[in-house]
Amino acid sequence: NAGVTQTPKFQVLKTGQSMTLQCAQDMNHNSMYWYRQDPGMGLRLIYYSASEGTTDKGEVPNGYNVSRLNKREFSLRLESAAPSQTSVYFCASSEPMTGRGNQPQHFGDGTRLSIL
Amino acid sequence: GNSVTQMEGPVTLSEEAFLTINCTYTATGYPSLFWYVQYPGEGLQLLLKATKADDKGSNKGFEATYRKETTSFHLEKGSVQVSDSAVYFCALRGGGNTGKLIFGQGTTLQVKP
């Protein structure tokens, strides 16, 4: 069971470089999410896509862009990396809320990104 | 806005000790509540959930009860094992159809043999 797959697992960038983090899910979920995890701050939502063809900003969108390429794939792009974007990035997917919305999110293993 | 507050960590316990990790929330309406666990080097896994007041979520010996009167969702386990060492996150999902989760800051649990 692949679930949610993120690539790459590790990456080191120099300030100003760009890169795209890839995420794919094989559970036929409609909704996908990108979070960043920083020490002592839990996970914070960067962007999400409630369904194919839609994207919306989360809590900390500045410096990022996203693309919902199709139902399976949701990529996160850093156009000009900054040291403040050093973090662990997690992608997640879920079914959309129905009724009381108890559909859990499924997470990938994360991308550990360091920006020098 | 919605928010989740967890007790500060790390929490260090001996094997077979009783565990409580406190979680309180602020939210409008009737959120769903979750506990996720993160083992070293891995992503988050859903541990348990509760979707309405007085619901009790349980899994792998862990339990949490949705207390609307105290806006709390404390995680408990009667006897912890070394393999329970991980980071635990409390989270809520509010209304609307986006499915967005609001996470607490996470609590690190270390269980010593």
Side-chain angles (χ1 to χ4, degrees):
Chain A
N1 291 340
V4 178
T5 303
Q6 292 184 234
T7 55
K9 295 190 183 304
F10 302 93
Q11 186 69 50
V12 178
L13 294 178
K14 294 181 179 178
T15 297
Q17 288 185 316
S18 62
M19 82 161 294
T20 299
L21 309 185
Q22 307 287 351
C23 174
Q25 51 92 9
D26 62 2
M27 295 170 283
N28 204 36
H29 286 163
N30 284 296
S31 301
M32 297 185 74
Y33 312 83
W34 275 106
Y35 295 90
R36 60 179 288 173
Q37 182 181 24
D38 301 293
M41 302 186 75
L43 277 74
R44 293 180 292 169
L45 184 66
I46 305 171
Y47 270 93
Y48 65 99
S49 171
S51 61
E52 186 179 356
T54 68
T55 61
D56 286 286
K57 294 178 180 179
E59 183 183 354
V60 288
N62 291 345
Y64 306 94
N65 286 300
V66 290
S67 295
R68 184 72 184 267
L69 304 171
N70 46 56
K71 191 172 185 179
R72 290 186 63 249
E73 299 173 289
F74 188 39
S75 63
L76 177 72
R77 182 163 178 83
L78 286 70
E79 290 290 352
S80 178
S84 61
Q85 294 177 304
T86 293
S87 188
V88 182
Y89 291 86
F90 287 99
C91 178
S93 71
S94 73
E95 283 301 322
M97 295 226 335
T98 56
R100 291 204 50 80
N102 58 357
Q103 304 303 320
Q105 292 188 10
H106 298 261
F107 285 79
D109 286 342
T111 295
R112 284 148 184 81
L113 181 62
S114 294
I115 299 164
L116 306 177
Chain B
N2 296 344
S3 66
V4 176
T5 302
Q6 290 180 234
M7 64 186 291
E8 297 270 344
V11 174
T12 303
L13 296 173
S14 298
E15 207 165 22
E16 300 184 359
F18 185 86
L19 168 71
T20 300
I21 300 178
N22 290 338
C23 171
T24 57
Y25 67 89
T26 301
T28 56
Y30 300 93
S32 295
L33 300 173
F34 305 84
W35 276 101
Y36 281 83
V37 58
Q38 183 181 30
Y39 298 103
E42 298 183 9
L44 279 70
Q45 303 173 25
L46 179 66
L47 181 59
L48 53 84
K49 64 185 180 186
T51 59
K52 61 183 187 295
D54 300 325
D55 266 2
K56 177 183 283 188
S58 61
N59 185 27
K60 300 181 181 180
F62 291 90
E63 293 183 338
T65 301
Y66 187 161
R67 301 285 189 199
K68 190 166 178 62
E69 64 275 15
T70 55
T71 62
S72 64
F73 192 54
H74 305 322
L75 182 68
E76 296 182 337
K77 187 175 185 182
S79 176
V80 294
Q81 305 300 313
V82 172
S83 58
D84 294 326
S85 298
V87 182
Y88 292 82
F89 292 92
C90 184
L92 73 81
R93 173 184 279 171
N97 64 354
T98 63
K100 292 187 292 183
L101 288 173
I102 305 297
F103 285 90
Q105 70 269 38
T107 302
T108 299
L109 171 66
Q110 297 175 332
V111 181
K112 297 184 175 181

